[in-house]
Amino acid sequence: MQALSLLTDPNAWAALVTLTALEIVLGIDNLVFISVLTSRLAEDKARRARLVGLALAFIFRVIMLAALTWLMGLAAPLFSIFGIEISWRDIILIGGGMFLIAKATHEIHREVEARERPVDSSGTTRSFAWIVVQLVAVDLVFSLDSILTAIGMAEHLEVMIAAVVIAMVVMYAAANPVGAFIAAHPTTRMLALAFLVLIGVALIADGFELHIPRGYIYFAMAFAGTVEVFNIVARRNRQRRPYS
């Protein structure tokens, strides 16, 4: 009965719209990582990796939302460093940021050194499983702050879960075209890797209570992405109409 009453509650609908927008915006970082990570797989394997990774991440998000008491305990201070209180949440953010920086730096180094591996057409079980594990782990890091925010913004678990479902559907719909675009344009891949480094730095800063406004990062991503689109269009026009 409570779920039915929420359908006629304007406050519940307002919270749903707000949380859904929040989940989608905060999912941009995760979408970039998913696209970069699966770009070396064959297309059919890449699609399956995105589906499995996002499905498992959705299950873990719902579990985290259901365990509200435990999740709120992650923000409780454990110890302090130079006057900065560190909690389990901070440790997860710092660890996730360090992983993103290390992963992106490794991929950038391989691109610069021109040690490109052939596309994994066979899609071995080991590499596929490892990619799925990375997708789930990084998604949980990205979703931690958004879930903690959702707990503070909504009163009903049903609204939180609905927002997560809608956001995950949008992310999956966008993952395939974004991933294909990055795989087809090497310069875009390098740009995405550079943004992963930037996102990793922002996560580490958040872990040490040095909050970098996400609007600055998203604006930089949008601006650089727009410039890259213009470069791609100009490159295609030059190929179609070579200089005489």
Side-chain angles (χ1 to χ4, degrees), residues 146-168:
S146 63
I147 290 177
L148 289 174
T149 303
I151 294 173
M153 293 181 61
E155 299 179 356
H156 303 285
L157 180 62
E158 295 86 347
V159 175
M160 302 179 200
I161 295 178
V164 170
V165 171
I166 297 173
M168 295 298 286

Side-chain angles (χ1 to χ4, degrees), residues 13-230:
W13 282 102
L16 176 62
V17 172
T18 303
L19 287 179
T20 301
L22 175 66
E23 291 284 343
I24 293 175
V25 170
L26 295 178
I28 294 175
D29 301 342
N30 194 24
L31 185 60
V32 172
F33 181 80
I34 291 174
S35 302
V36 170
L37 197 62
T38 58
S39 62
R40 294 185 183 278
L41 290 174
E43 183 57 31
D44 57 335
K45 298 295 181 182
R47 287 177 178 271
R48 190 159 53 136
R50 294 166 195 151
L51 175 60
V52 173
L54 289 174
L56 291 176
F58 165 72
I59 294 174
F60 284 125
R61 283 192 186 192
V62 173
I63 293 175
M64 292 173 69
L65 281 172
L68 298 181
T69 305
W70 171 81
L71 194 59
M72 291 301 293
L74 293 178
L78 294 175
F79 55 89
S80 61
I81 300 178
F82 301 112
I84 301 175
E85 295 182 338
I86 302 296
S87 63
W88 279 114
R89 168 190 171 275
D90 299 326
I91 293 175
I92 293 173
L93 290 177
I94 293 170
M98 293 176 66
F99 172 78
L100 280 182
I101 293 175
K103 181 68 177 179
T105 302
H106 173 73
E107 294 293 333
I108 290 175
H109 183 263
R110 185 161 59 183
E111 293 284 342
V112 172
E113 295 295 326
R115 293 185 296 177
E116 180 77 22
R117 294 183 194 172
V119 174
D120 184 8
S121 58
S122 61
T124 61
T125 303
R126 181 179 178 183
S127 61
F128 182 84
W130 175 233
I131 286 178
V132 170
V133 168
Q134 293 180 81
L135 289 179
V136 173
V138 172
D139 181 82
L140 290 177
V141 171
F142 282 137
S143 63
L144 182 60
D145 266 350
S146 63
I147 290 177
L148 289 174
T149 303
I151 294 173
M153 293 181 61
E155 299 179 356
H156 303 285
L157 180 62
E158 295 86 347
V159 175
M160 302 179 200
I161 295 178
V164 170
V165 171
I166 297 173
M168 295 298 286
V169 170
V170 172
M171 285 180 59
Y172 178 71
N176 289 330
V178 171
F181 184 84
I182 289 179
H185 301 88
T187 55
T188 305
R189 174 180 170 82
M190 183 66 73
L191 183 63
L193 290 171
F195 279 127
L196 285 182
V197 175
L198 181 60
I199 294 167
V201 172
L203 288 177
I204 294 176
D206 283 343
F208 286 105
E209 305 300 331
L210 301 173
H211 301 291
I212 300 176
R214 287 295 189 271
Y216 295 153
I217 297 178
Y218 295 143
F219 175 79
M221 293 174 66
F223 180 80
T226 302
V227 173
E228 180 63 18
V229 169
F230 288 146

